Amino acid sequence: MRLANFAAAIVFSVAILYVSFVGAGPLPALGPAFNPGTGAWTMAFDASIGRETQHLTGLQQPVRITLDRDGTAHIVAQTDHDLFLAVGYVHARFRLFQMDLLRRQGEGRLSEVVGKKALDSDRFELQLGLLRTAEQEWNGRPGPSERARMAILAYTQGVNDRIAQAEFLHQLPAMFTLLGYQPKPWTPIDSLIVKGDMTQTLNFTDTPLVMALLERSLGPDLVSKWFPVLPPNPQSPYDPGPYPARPTVAALPAPQISGAEAVAAADAYQRLASLPAGLVATGGASNNWAVAGTRSASGGALLAGDPHLHLTLPAIWYQLTMDSPSYHVAGVSIPGTPVVLIGHNQHIAWSLTDAQNQQTFYYSEVEDAAHPGQYSWNGSWRRYDTASYDIPVRGGPTERLTVKLSVHGPVITERGQTTTVWWAGNIPSQDLDVLLGVDQASDWQQFRDTLRGWYSPTHNFVYSDDKGNIGMISAGYYPHVKSGRPWLPMPGTGEDDVDGTIPYDDIPQVYNPPEGIIWSANQRQVTADYPWYIGTASNFFDPGYRANEIHRVLSQGGKLSAADMMALQTDTRDYLASEMVPILLTVMPASPARDLLAGWDYRMETGSAAATIWWAFWQTYIAQAFDPWWKAKTVPVDRSEMNDSLGQYLESQVMAGSTVCPPEGCSPSAICPTEECSRFPLNVALDKAIRSTLDTLAKSLGADPKTWTWGRVHQRTLQNLAKITGLDYGPRPDRGDANTPLAAPDFPSSHGPSWRMVVDWGSGTFMGIYPGGQSENPASQWYTDRVDTWWDGRYAPMLTADQAASAPGATSWKLQP
Amino acid sequence: MTGGRIFTIALIVTSVIGAIGIFVGGWWIVFLIGLAVGIVLPARAALILGALFGLATYLEPLLRDHLIYGLGPTATSLAAIMGYPHQPAIPIVLTCALGLLLGLAGAWLGSAGRAFFQPASSR
């Protein structure tokens, strides 16, 4: 009996201690995680913000930080060094787990904390090479400027001050406790990696692989028609020229994609498609524009910017103001980096959109059995370089990864044909130093000169200043390929290599244009007369509907105000609908659905049933036009992935009075694929699509079209960064679609305006808002406190440090050496 | 002193020691104290005390934090992280249960071990 009792006690104790020390199944180690003194419960303390005095290692002078009511941090430092140290401290105080995730993603170390489910991502990242590039940027020659080196080192010190403090006080963010690990010290490389993450998200593409698969299946004729270099529709380029003269390179005969190249493309494409969202850029959606003082009601220049990104909680942005002897800047920063990326200083304001030019190229390396481990380049055989990495895997053995590198870049697949990728994000650059220069610039000349050093991702930097001037420059690296068809994988023999960049003076840019307005929305920035290749319509410029709508509104005449800027940022008018619906109405018989469309203002509002009919119709029409081709040609690319390009083509055809020819042809006239079907078949196609649309909607939403409101089918979600759905915001019905200035693609949408900023230099108006909150702590009032303001299309004033200090609800911290 | 008073004093003392332990990260100290309690006290008293002081040790910081900061958002967030959104009671119950079970396990093991190793004549 005593033995049995003792044995039972041992078993019970071991079980309790096991789940406490180790965890069980999905449960973390319960002991440290749920220790009420130092475990995850400390998020309650962390969420409580009051007056504080902190002593930080490395600080030179006292620093004052004011946290205003919504958590915006206003940092006033007496030295530049202390400013960056304080930024690092504040970032880590509110976003340490996010920062750790960002660096782990780029460094291929996610598996170490979440297990083998992140192995594909880690392998890919280490292959792609963000870590190698960051190390070269920091350790290479010439390396960072003194300004950047000081800023990054001070920032690193500030982050590490907070990590040490949090560990000592048992105040690490709860997610560390729950995942059972502690953050390693921050390093300068980590900051460069975080910047690299953003570059990758915005411009690492698989488009040449997709184009290869399309060309192999559809053939070159259809591909050149449906996925042309120049867009088939007008896109309101902001830089209409004139452009510098340059001999145009004659078009080369198009070689067929070989079977081996197709196998390689399919393998790499499938691999990239299976990666978590965000690692491969899939398109852009951001807006910015400026209005000259001559066109504004206040007499000062106006600027508006809303970069569209994956909307997460916490957000990618952290809002702050930075004041020191050399810096007086306000705006949003990315946790992990010491700079304001979008904002204003005392004299200028700026924002950015992705420029979308092609920065990713694939090369098919030439190998043969007589030269194992080598590839042919410029007439000689070269051995691949290699880089090896250990990938620690939680709950499993460490994986060894060896990456092969040619002169073009890392090998991305060896199936079919060895394929490497050349990516501008892998060129060591000093982009953080450029941003420090932007933060300090005081006029267009300084702004433009500073951006000369910007490499990647290429951005449309919009500019306005306190003297009424406006400008835009699409700064970045524009790879120039010696010959060949860069939108497809190219031979790696050397003839088709990237041999430089388009000269800075020749890249798209304007300053004080005569019409007094500038705009960008990821559209192609230049007209067909531009002499340089910058990418195809599908790689991956926006279809241009947002740009067209913004241009339409800004060019209507009359004086514009900050309120007009805000209204346009939250505008839901679908430009494509305004073109297509009037044509559709000509074939629709009288019906309640037709009445709804006829009375519609083309705005994708949650209460609009016409919005639902329009959107469903357009998707149906694209599907009916192209799915027969996809089936007939066995196209291995998801058709919906190509909807932007296919939609542009279809739009151009409908505007011209024709429709896409089906594979069997439009008897008796059209011969596919060279001709399209003219007027009468267009009517038939539109009629078929709208009938099918109305049938489908009736089945899914009920018989009464008035009830088919957009909010019933279109919702938006702000996703928790750690993919904990219980910490998401939404899904909640929301307005907009992929084509509206207030962008809301997908169902539910998790992409859109990540920060809205409006500046009016004439009235001294500086307003901004992002969805989310300043804290990553879900128990904090600053986790989602800004969401409703953002959702409603309202803004918050961007206060100065002095204004914030005297504002109600502000809290002050003192940082002491 | 009566047995009840001794029990109360023991409960307070063990809870205070336990609380100090968990505030420096030593969540396992509850088990060790339970073990000592099990060795020292008679079996029935040890088990009751072990469970009660374990519960009290884990509950006290939660009550304190609730009074100062309000634990609602934290409990709701933890429940969401655990996959039970809008059920904030779950992490609270789990935490209290953990304290209770650690104290109880220690006391049981101490008591059973003492009974097992103690010579029969001394019982």
Side-chain angles (χ1 to χ4, degrees), chain A residues 677-705:
Chain A
C677 304
S678 57
R679 172 57 64 188
F680 178 68
L682 169 64
N683 292 353
V684 173
L686 294 177
D687 182 63
K688 179 183 173 191
I690 190 65
R691 284 179 189 276
S692 176
T693 299
L694 297 177
D695 284 349
T696 303
L697 289 175
K699 284 176 187 161
S700 59
L701 298 177
D704 184 1

PDB file of all heavy atoms in Angstrom, chain A residues 677-705:
ATOM      1  N   CYS A 677     -13.178  39.133 -80.857  1.00  0.00           N
ATOM      2  CA  CYS A 677     -14.552  39.127 -81.359  1.00  0.00           C
ATOM      3  C   CYS A 677     -15.147  40.527 -81.259  1.00  0.00           C
ATOM      4  O   CYS A 677     -15.070  41.155 -80.203  1.00  0.00           O
ATOM      5  CB  CYS A 677     -15.384  38.143 -80.545  1.00  0.00           C
ATOM      6  SG  CYS A 677     -14.689  36.491 -80.535  1.00  0.00           S
ATOM      7  N   SER A 678     -15.761  40.984 -82.294  1.00  0.00           N
ATOM      8  CA  SER A 678     -16.211  42.368 -82.320  1.00  0.00           C
ATOM      9  C   SER A 678     -17.622  42.528 -81.754  1.00  0.00           C
ATOM     10  O   SER A 678     -18.164  41.611 -81.152  1.00  0.00           O
ATOM     11  CB  SER A 678     -16.117  42.910 -83.741  1.00  0.00           C
ATOM     12  OG  SER A 678     -16.884  42.090 -84.580  1.00  0.00           O
ATOM     13  N   ARG A 679     -18.208  43.666 -81.995  1.00  0.00           N
ATOM     14  CA  ARG A 679     -19.350  44.205 -81.249  1.00  0.00           C
ATOM     15  C   ARG A 679     -20.414  43.199 -80.827  1.00  0.00           C
ATOM     16  O   ARG A 679     -20.738  43.067 -79.663  1.00  0.00           O
ATOM     17  CB  ARG A 679     -19.983  45.346 -82.065  1.00  0.00           C
ATOM     18  CG  ARG A 679     -21.302  45.899 -81.536  1.00  0.00           C
ATOM     19  CD  ARG A 679     -21.213  46.412 -80.094  1.00  0.00           C
ATOM     20  NE  ARG A 679     -20.320  47.541 -79.962  1.00  0.00           N
ATOM     21  CZ  ARG A 679     -19.964  48.060 -78.778  1.00  0.00           C
ATOM     22  NH1 ARG A 679     -20.419  47.516 -77.663  1.00  0.00           N
ATOM     23  NH2 ARG A 679     -19.164  49.088 -78.723  1.00  0.00           N
ATOM     24  N   PHE A 680     -20.963  42.462 -81.783  1.00  0.00           N
ATOM     25  CA  PHE A 680     -22.081  41.601 -81.405  1.00  0.00           C
ATOM     26  C   PHE A 680     -21.657  40.516 -80.408  1.00  0.00           C
ATOM     27  O   PHE A 680     -22.325  40.313 -79.382  1.00  0.00           O
ATOM     28  CB  PHE A 680     -22.747  40.981 -82.635  1.00  0.00           C
ATOM     29  CG  PHE A 680     -23.864  40.045 -82.275  1.00  0.00           C
ATOM     30  CD1 PHE A 680     -25.034  40.541 -81.701  1.00  0.00           C
ATOM     31  CD2 PHE A 680     -23.737  38.673 -82.447  1.00  0.00           C
ATOM     32  CE1 PHE A 680     -26.054  39.673 -81.328  1.00  0.00           C
ATOM     33  CE2 PHE A 680     -24.761  37.812 -82.076  1.00  0.00           C
ATOM     34  CZ  PHE A 680     -25.916  38.305 -81.517  1.00  0.00           C
ATOM     35  N   PRO A 681     -20.539  39.830 -80.668  1.00  0.00           N
ATOM     36  CA  PRO A 681     -20.110  38.858 -79.658  1.00  0.00           C
ATOM     37  C   PRO A 681     -19.797  39.507 -78.307  1.00  0.00           C
ATOM     38  O   PRO A 681     -19.936  38.859 -77.264  1.00  0.00           O
ATOM     39  CB  PRO A 681     -18.869  38.228 -80.281  1.00  0.00           C
ATOM     40  CG  PRO A 681     -19.072  38.364 -81.744  1.00  0.00           C
ATOM     41  CD  PRO A 681     -19.759  39.712 -81.905  1.00  0.00           C
ATOM     42  N   LEU A 682     -19.383  40.772 -78.304  1.00  0.00           N
ATOM     43  CA  LEU A 682     -19.169  41.443 -77.020  1.00  0.00           C
ATOM     44  C   LEU A 682     -20.481  41.505 -76.250  1.00  0.00           C
ATOM     45  O   LEU A 682     -20.539  41.208 -75.057  1.00  0.00           O
ATOM     46  CB  LEU A 682     -18.612  42.856 -77.230  1.00  0.00           C
ATOM     47  CG  LEU A 682     -18.613  43.738 -75.962  1.00  0.00           C
ATOM     48  CD1 LEU A 682     -17.681  43.144 -74.905  1.00  0.00           C
ATOM     49  CD2 LEU A 682     -18.197  45.170 -76.289  1.00  0.00           C
ATOM     50  N   ASN A 683     -21.538  41.897 -76.934  1.00  0.00           N
ATOM     51  CA  ASN A 683     -22.832  41.968 -76.264  1.00  0.00           C
ATOM     52  C   ASN A 683     -23.245  40.608 -75.707  1.00  0.00           C
ATOM     53  O   ASN A 683     -23.756  40.501 -74.593  1.00  0.00           O
ATOM     54  CB  ASN A 683     -23.903  42.460 -77.246  1.00  0.00           C
ATOM     55  CG  ASN A 683     -23.674  43.902 -77.641  1.00  0.00           C
ATOM     56  OD1 ASN A 683     -22.802  44.566 -77.086  1.00  0.00           O
ATOM     57  ND2 ASN A 683     -24.440  44.376 -78.594  1.00  0.00           N
ATOM     58  N   VAL A 684     -22.989  39.579 -76.498  1.00  0.00           N
ATOM     59  CA  VAL A 684     -23.339  38.226 -76.052  1.00  0.00           C
ATOM     60  C   VAL A 684     -22.528  37.857 -74.812  1.00  0.00           C
ATOM     61  O   VAL A 684     -23.051  37.303 -73.834  1.00  0.00           O
ATOM     62  CB  VAL A 684     -23.088  37.207 -77.188  1.00  0.00           C
ATOM     63  CG1 VAL A 684     -23.295  35.779 -76.675  1.00  0.00           C
ATOM     64  CG2 VAL A 684     -24.002  37.502 -78.357  1.00  0.00           C
ATOM     65  N   ALA A 685     -21.247  38.187 -74.848  1.00  0.00           N
ATOM     66  CA  ALA A 685     -20.378  37.842 -73.718  1.00  0.00           C
ATOM     67  C   ALA A 685     -20.797  38.588 -72.456  1.00  0.00           C
ATOM     68  O   ALA A 685     -20.844  38.011 -71.360  1.00  0.00           O
ATOM     69  CB  ALA A 685     -18.925  38.163 -74.070  1.00  0.00           C
ATOM     70  N   LEU A 686     -21.086  39.879 -72.601  1.00  0.00           N
ATOM     71  CA  LEU A 686     -21.503  40.657 -71.431  1.00  0.00           C
ATOM     72  C   LEU A 686     -22.826  40.126 -70.890  1.00  0.00           C
ATOM     73  O   LEU A 686     -23.004  39.995 -69.664  1.00  0.00           O
ATOM     74  CB  LEU A 686     -21.642  42.137 -71.802  1.00  0.00           C
ATOM     75  CG  LEU A 686     -20.352  42.873 -72.190  1.00  0.00           C
ATOM     76  CD1 LEU A 686     -20.672  44.314 -72.591  1.00  0.00           C
ATOM     77  CD2 LEU A 686     -19.342  42.863 -71.052  1.00  0.00           C
ATOM     78  N   ASP A 687     -23.731  39.815 -71.782  1.00  0.00           N
ATOM     79  CA  ASP A 687     -25.034  39.303 -71.368  1.00  0.00           C
ATOM     80  C   ASP A 687     -24.883  37.970 -70.624  1.00  0.00           C
ATOM     81  O   ASP A 687     -25.482  37.750 -69.569  1.00  0.00           O
ATOM     82  CB  ASP A 687     -25.922  39.130 -72.598  1.00  0.00           C
ATOM     83  CG  ASP A 687     -27.306  38.638 -72.213  1.00  0.00           C
ATOM     84  OD1 ASP A 687     -28.003  39.375 -71.499  1.00  0.00           O
ATOM     85  OD2 ASP A 687     -27.655  37.506 -72.595  1.00  0.00           O
ATOM     86  N   LYS A 688     -24.040  37.126 -71.164  1.00  0.00           N
ATOM     87  CA  LYS A 688     -23.823  35.824 -70.524  1.00  0.00           C
ATOM     88  C   LYS A 688     -23.211  36.013 -69.124  1.00  0.00           C
ATOM     89  O   LYS A 688     -23.627  35.370 -68.155  1.00  0.00           O
ATOM     90  CB  LYS A 688     -22.877  34.987 -71.396  1.00  0.00           C
ATOM     91  CG  LYS A 688     -22.557  33.612 -70.826  1.00  0.00           C
ATOM     92  CD  LYS A 688     -21.545  32.894 -71.724  1.00  0.00           C
ATOM     93  CE  LYS A 688     -21.081  31.599 -71.082  1.00  0.00           C
ATOM     94  NZ  LYS A 688     -19.938  31.015 -71.790  1.00  0.00           N
ATOM     95  N   ALA A 689     -22.249  36.908 -69.026  1.00  0.00           N
ATOM     96  CA  ALA A 689     -21.570  37.121 -67.741  1.00  0.00           C
ATOM     97  C   ALA A 689     -22.517  37.715 -66.706  1.00  0.00           C
ATOM     98  O   ALA A 689     -22.527  37.290 -65.543  1.00  0.00           O
ATOM     99  CB  ALA A 689     -20.353  38.026 -67.936  1.00  0.00           C
ATOM    100  N   ILE A 690     -23.328  38.678 -67.097  1.00  0.00           N
ATOM    101  CA  ILE A 690     -24.206  39.311 -66.098  1.00  0.00           C
ATOM    102  C   ILE A 690     -25.325  38.364 -65.687  1.00  0.00           C
ATOM    103  O   ILE A 690     -25.727  38.320 -64.521  1.00  0.00           O
ATOM    104  CB  ILE A 690     -24.755  40.664 -66.613  1.00  0.00           C
ATOM    105  CG1 ILE A 690     -25.448  41.421 -65.471  1.00  0.00           C
ATOM    106  CG2 ILE A 690     -25.723  40.482 -67.770  1.00  0.00           C
ATOM    107  CD1 ILE A 690     -24.538  41.848 -64.361  1.00  0.00           C
ATOM    108  N   ARG A 691     -25.812  37.557 -66.625  1.00  0.00           N
ATOM    109  CA  ARG A 691     -26.852  36.582 -66.251  1.00  0.00           C
ATOM    110  C   ARG A 691     -26.293  35.573 -65.248  1.00  0.00           C
ATOM    111  O   ARG A 691     -26.935  35.249 -64.233  1.00  0.00           O
ATOM    112  CB  ARG A 691     -27.368  35.845 -67.495  1.00  0.00           C
ATOM    113  CG  ARG A 691     -28.301  36.657 -68.354  1.00  0.00           C
ATOM    114  CD  ARG A 691     -28.750  35.859 -69.585  1.00  0.00           C
ATOM    115  NE  ARG A 691     -29.480  36.698 -70.507  1.00  0.00           N
ATOM    116  CZ  ARG A 691     -30.783  36.966 -70.392  1.00  0.00           C
ATOM    117  NH1 ARG A 691     -31.471  36.432 -69.404  1.00  0.00           N
ATOM    118  NH2 ARG A 691     -31.385  37.749 -71.266  1.00  0.00           N
ATOM    119  N   SER A 692     -25.130  35.103 -65.540  1.00  0.00           N
ATOM    120  CA  SER A 692     -24.498  34.144 -64.644  1.00  0.00           C
ATOM    121  C   SER A 692     -24.238  34.772 -63.266  1.00  0.00           C
ATOM    122  O   SER A 692     -24.455  34.148 -62.231  1.00  0.00           O
ATOM    123  CB  SER A 692     -23.181  33.669 -65.270  1.00  0.00           C
ATOM    124  OG  SER A 692     -22.505  32.830 -64.394  1.00  0.00           O
ATOM    125  N   THR A 693     -23.808  36.026 -63.291  1.00  0.00           N
ATOM    126  CA  THR A 693     -23.544  36.751 -62.043  1.00  0.00           C
ATOM    127  C   THR A 693     -24.815  36.856 -61.202  1.00  0.00           C
ATOM    128  O   THR A 693     -24.808  36.572 -59.986  1.00  0.00           O
ATOM    129  CB  THR A 693     -23.029  38.161 -62.360  1.00  0.00           C
ATOM    130  OG1 THR A 693     -21.810  38.049 -63.084  1.00  0.00           O
ATOM    131  CG2 THR A 693     -22.794  38.965 -61.086  1.00  0.00           C
ATOM    132  N   LEU A 694     -25.902  37.273 -61.835  1.00  0.00           N
ATOM    133  CA  LEU A 694     -27.151  37.482 -61.090  1.00  0.00           C
ATOM    134  C   LEU A 694     -27.693  36.150 -60.549  1.00  0.00           C
ATOM    135  O   LEU A 694     -28.199  36.091 -59.424  1.00  0.00           O
ATOM    136  CB  LEU A 694     -28.186  38.174 -61.975  1.00  0.00           C
ATOM    137  CG  LEU A 694     -27.790  39.587 -62.433  1.00  0.00           C
ATOM    138  CD1 LEU A 694     -28.854  40.167 -63.363  1.00  0.00           C
ATOM    139  CD2 LEU A 694     -27.558  40.517 -61.246  1.00  0.00           C
ATOM    140  N   ASP A 695     -27.547  35.101 -61.321  1.00  0.00           N
ATOM    141  CA  ASP A 695     -27.978  33.781 -60.831  1.00  0.00           C
ATOM    142  C   ASP A 695     -27.181  33.376 -59.591  1.00  0.00           C
ATOM    143  O   ASP A 695     -27.732  32.908 -58.590  1.00  0.00           O
ATOM    144  CB  ASP A 695     -27.778  32.718 -61.919  1.00  0.00           C
ATOM    145  CG  ASP A 695     -28.843  32.812 -62.992  1.00  0.00           C
ATOM    146  OD1 ASP A 695     -29.835  33.540 -62.777  1.00  0.00           O
ATOM    147  OD2 ASP A 695     -28.672  32.167 -64.050  1.00  0.00           O
ATOM    148  N   THR A 696     -25.885  33.561 -59.681  1.00  0.00           N
ATOM    149  CA  THR A 696     -25.021  33.166 -58.562  1.00  0.00           C
ATOM    150  C   THR A 696     -25.329  33.984 -57.316  1.00  0.00           C
ATOM    151  O   THR A 696     -25.413  33.450 -56.200  1.00  0.00           O
ATOM    152  CB  THR A 696     -23.540  33.354 -58.948  1.00  0.00           C
ATOM    153  OG1 THR A 696     -23.281  32.592 -60.124  1.00  0.00           O
ATOM    154  CG2 THR A 696     -22.619  32.910 -57.826  1.00  0.00           C
ATOM    155  N   LEU A 697     -25.492  35.292 -57.496  1.00  0.00           N
ATOM    156  CA  LEU A 697     -25.773  36.149 -56.336  1.00  0.00           C
ATOM    157  C   LEU A 697     -27.124  35.799 -55.716  1.00  0.00           C
ATOM    158  O   LEU A 697     -27.277  35.808 -54.493  1.00  0.00           O
ATOM    159  CB  LEU A 697     -25.735  37.620 -56.746  1.00  0.00           C
ATOM    160  CG  LEU A 697     -24.347  38.181 -57.079  1.00  0.00           C
ATOM    161  CD1 LEU A 697     -24.446  39.616 -57.592  1.00  0.00           C
ATOM    162  CD2 LEU A 697     -23.435  38.133 -55.850  1.00  0.00           C
ATOM    163  N   ALA A 698     -28.094  35.504 -56.571  1.00  0.00           N
ATOM    164  CA  ALA A 698     -29.410  35.148 -56.044  1.00  0.00           C
ATOM    165  C   ALA A 698     -29.332  33.878 -55.207  1.00  0.00           C
ATOM    166  O   ALA A 698     -29.983  33.759 -54.153  1.00  0.00           O
ATOM    167  CB  ALA A 698     -30.400  34.972 -57.190  1.00  0.00           C
ATOM    168  N   LYS A 699     -28.517  32.934 -55.665  1.00  0.00           N
ATOM    169  CA  LYS A 699     -28.389  31.680 -54.915  1.00  0.00           C
ATOM    170  C   LYS A 699     -27.662  31.892 -53.593  1.00  0.00           C
ATOM    171  O   LYS A 699     -27.988  31.273 -52.580  1.00  0.00           O
ATOM    172  CB  LYS A 699     -27.631  30.648 -55.756  1.00  0.00           C
ATOM    173  CG  LYS A 699     -28.482  30.032 -56.862  1.00  0.00           C
ATOM    174  CD  LYS A 699     -27.648  29.093 -57.732  1.00  0.00           C
ATOM    175  CE  LYS A 699     -28.470  28.633 -58.929  1.00  0.00           C
ATOM    176  NZ  LYS A 699     -27.640  28.113 -60.000  1.00  0.00           N
ATOM    177  N   SER A 700     -26.661  32.746 -53.605  1.00  0.00           N
ATOM    178  CA  SER A 700     -25.846  32.881 -52.389  1.00  0.00           C
ATOM    179  C   SER A 700     -26.351  33.965 -51.442  1.00  0.00           C
ATOM    180  O   SER A 700     -26.149  33.860 -50.231  1.00  0.00           O
ATOM    181  CB  SER A 700     -24.390  33.175 -52.770  1.00  0.00           C
ATOM    182  OG  SER A 700     -24.313  34.356 -53.535  1.00  0.00           O
ATOM    183  N   LEU A 701     -27.008  35.001 -51.960  1.00  0.00           N
ATOM    184  CA  LEU A 701     -27.387  36.120 -51.096  1.00  0.00           C
ATOM    185  C   LEU A 701     -28.897  36.337 -51.021  1.00  0.00           C
ATOM    186  O   LEU A 701     -29.350  37.217 -50.287  1.00  0.00           O
ATOM    187  CB  LEU A 701     -26.714  37.417 -51.594  1.00  0.00           C
ATOM    188  CG  LEU A 701     -25.181  37.425 -51.573  1.00  0.00           C
ATOM    189  CD1 LEU A 701     -24.643  38.726 -52.162  1.00  0.00           C
ATOM    190  CD2 LEU A 701     -24.647  37.247 -50.152  1.00  0.00           C
ATOM    191  N   GLY A 702     -29.670  35.585 -51.786  1.00  0.00           N
ATOM    192  CA  GLY A 702     -31.120  35.752 -51.729  1.00  0.00           C
ATOM    193  C   GLY A 702     -31.663  36.379 -52.997  1.00  0.00           C
ATOM    194  O   GLY A 702     -30.915  36.876 -53.837  1.00  0.00           O
ATOM    195  N   ALA A 703     -32.974  36.382 -53.089  1.00  0.00           N
ATOM    196  CA  ALA A 703     -33.621  36.778 -54.343  1.00  0.00           C
ATOM    197  C   ALA A 703     -33.652  38.290 -54.566  1.00  0.00           C
ATOM    198  O   ALA A 703     -33.713  38.749 -55.703  1.00  0.00           O
ATOM    199  CB  ALA A 703     -35.046  36.227 -54.374  1.00  0.00           C
ATOM    200  N   ASP A 704     -33.625  39.061 -53.514  1.00  0.00           N
ATOM    201  CA  ASP A 704     -33.786  40.510 -53.646  1.00  0.00           C
ATOM    202  C   ASP A 704     -32.430  41.192 -53.838  1.00  0.00           C
ATOM    203  O   ASP A 704     -31.618  41.256 -52.914  1.00  0.00           O
ATOM    204  CB  ASP A 704     -34.478  41.068 -52.396  1.00  0.00           C
ATOM    205  CG  ASP A 704     -34.749  42.561 -52.524  1.00  0.00           C
ATOM    206  OD1 ASP A 704     -34.405  43.136 -53.588  1.00  0.00           O
ATOM    207  OD2 ASP A 704     -35.273  43.142 -51.566  1.00  0.00           O
ATOM    208  N   PRO A 705     -32.163  41.724 -55.018  1.00  0.00           N
ATOM    209  CA  PRO A 705     -30.858  42.357 -55.265  1.00  0.00           C
ATOM    210  C   PRO A 705     -30.533  43.499 -54.301  1.00  0.00           C
ATOM    211  O   PRO A 705     -29.360  43.789 -54.056  1.00  0.00           O
ATOM    212  CB  PRO A 705     -30.993  42.868 -56.703  1.00  0.00           C
ATOM    213  CG  PRO A 705     -32.015  41.996 -57.325  1.00  0.00           C
ATOM    214  CD  PRO A 705     -32.998  41.683 -56.230  1.00  0.00           C
TER     215      PRO A 705
END
